[in-house]
Amino acid sequence: MKIKTLFLVLMLGATCAQAGGVDSAAIVAAHNKWRAQVGVGKLSYSPELAASSQAWADNLKQTNQCRMRHSSPEGKYGENLYWASAAVWTDGRRELQKVPSTKPVESWGNEKLDYSHAKNSCKPGKMCGHYTQVVWKTSTKVGCAVAVCEDSQEQVWVCQYQPAGNWVGSKPY
């Protein structure tokens, strides 16, 4: 019985570590891919922003059931959020979706299709503010985190940027 219990504890620990991990190098590379397309400088990874992102992701997990809600940065940093549902099987089982660290950034970057640089606006009815934060020319640092709601197997991702982008009336690049 002790061996089975130890194995279960080790397996649960490995699952939590895999689910909660953010590959900082992959996150930075994914951001910098989009930034290179528009000729702005590279971002570097910030452990401080990562810690702040983790605190907010954990807050959303504990107080908001992994539903997205922006923090109140008051200009201290920019912020992008990404939510992923559980994988749901036909028999009703819910399983943690394996989300690579690059997927949230790719989702935000794909908003480029809905952004007009000439008009500095999104297409009607579309969202593009995540994209503009990813490529904001004066942002130089990023830190990201993820939290998983164990009951629903949903997850919320948070990336924070300094200096903040998306200033009204200003173009991202």
Side-chain angles (χ1 to χ4, degrees):
M1 188 59 169
K2 286 182 182 178
I3 292 174
K4 287 182 184 178
T5 303
L6 178 61
F7 178 74
L8 181 60
V9 168
L10 289 173
M11 288 304 294
L12 285 173
T15 301
C16 291
Q18 180 184 16
V22 171
D23 181 341
S24 59
I27 287 270
V28 170
H31 277 87
N32 287 336
K33 178 190 97 172
W34 291 101
R35 294 172 67 84
Q37 291 177 13
V38 296
V40 297
K42 293 181 176 185
L43 292 177
S44 62
Y45 202 74
S46 165
E48 294 81 12
L49 288 172
S52 177
S53 294
Q54 189 65 64
W56 185 246
D58 290 343
N59 177 276
L60 293 174
K61 172 184 173 177
Q62 294 162 2
T63 65
N64 212 39
Q65 297 147 344
C66 283
R67 305 281 190 286
M68 293 191 302
R69 185 179 75 236
H70 281 286
S71 62
S72 301
E74 299 170 7
K76 290 183 271 185
Y77 52 83
E79 183 174 77
N80 279 346
L81 303 177
Y82 179 86
W83 176 86
S85 67
V88 181
W89 297 92
T90 55
D91 64 3
R93 282 183 297 126
R94 298 175 69 83
E95 190 174 280
L96 184 64
Q97 188 182 153
K98 291 179 176 77
V99 176
S101 293
T102 55
K103 189 171 183 178
V105 183
E106 290 305 311
S107 174
W108 302 326
N110 285 330
E111 291 178 5
K112 178 180 184 175
L113 299 171
D114 299 317
Y115 175 68
S116 167
H117 188 262
K119 297 178 183 177
N120 194 30
S121 63
C122 306
K123 289 181 181 175
K126 297 292 186 173
M127 199 178 325
C128 64
H130 302 102
Y131 166 71
T132 55
Q133 176 58 80
V134 166
V135 298
W136 200 266
K137 64 185 167 198
T138 59
S139 293
T140 58
K141 298 186 288 187
V142 64
C144 303
V146 61
V148 175
C149 286
E150 287 83 10
D151 58 339
S152 65
Q153 297 298 300
E154 295 171 350
Q155 50 193 301
V156 62
W157 291 70
V158 178
C159 284
Q160 294 176 347
Y161 305 82
Q162 279 185 334
N166 285 347
W167 292 102
V168 176
S170 297
K171 288 187 175 185
Y173 51 89

